[in-house]
Amino acid sequence: MGFTDAVDFVDGEFQGYKELFQRRQVVFLKPVAGLPDYWLVHDELTGTGDRKLDLNFHLSPDANPKVENGSVYTTYPTGGNAMIRLVDQSAQPQLLTPIFPCLQT
């Protein structure tokens, strides 16, 4: 873990699954010299055997996400948008129906 005026960094591990190890690193780059702030999330999974991985990001109903060129973009009209991009471009993102449709605006 590390925190500075320009960068925050957290590194965590989880070994709660049989024969599977998960590591997540999160970097927050703070706005410097007129550049916008942004987050980087790096997930690493190692283990044995064949597995199916589902990676889900929960977005607010007004995020209005779009899939384009292997990435997911939020389109908040007021800004603060996100791009979610997989390093492994053989996996294509898809949008799922909200689990709680009552939360939609």
Side-chain angles (χ1 to χ4, degrees):
M1 242 186 301
F3 304 95
T4 70
D5 289 341
V7 177
D8 291 341
F9 175 75
V10 177
D11 187 354
E13 300 173 348
F14 180 70
Q15 294 179 321
Y17 302 113
K18 184 179 178 184
E19 299 178 12
L20 181 66
F21 173 78
Q22 177 185 1
R23 181 178 188 184
R24 174 170 280 183
Q25 297 171 315
V26 179
V27 178
F28 176 55
L29 297 169
K30 300 173 185 178
V32 177
L35 298 173
D37 59 339
Y38 60 95
W39 296 84
L40 298 172
V41 178
H42 177 258
D43 286 321
E44 181 181 350
L45 296 162
T46 55
T48 58
D50 292 332
R51 301 186 183 272
K52 178 184 177 214
L53 170 68
D54 290 324
L55 179 63
N56 299 299
F57 288 88
H58 301 270
L59 305 171
S60 68
D62 59 339
N64 193 26
K66 307 290 183 202
V67 176
E68 185 178 305
N69 298 324
S71 297
V72 176
Y73 297 87
T74 61
T75 57
Y76 293 105
T78 57
N81 286 294
M83 178 186 75
I84 301 166
R85 182 168 182 85
L86 302 175
V87 173
D88 178 359
Q89 291 295 296
S90 67
Q92 291 299 308
Q94 59 182 315
L95 300 178
L96 304 176
T97 304
I99 296 173
F100 302 108
C102 61
L103 296 178
Q104 288 186 306
T105 56

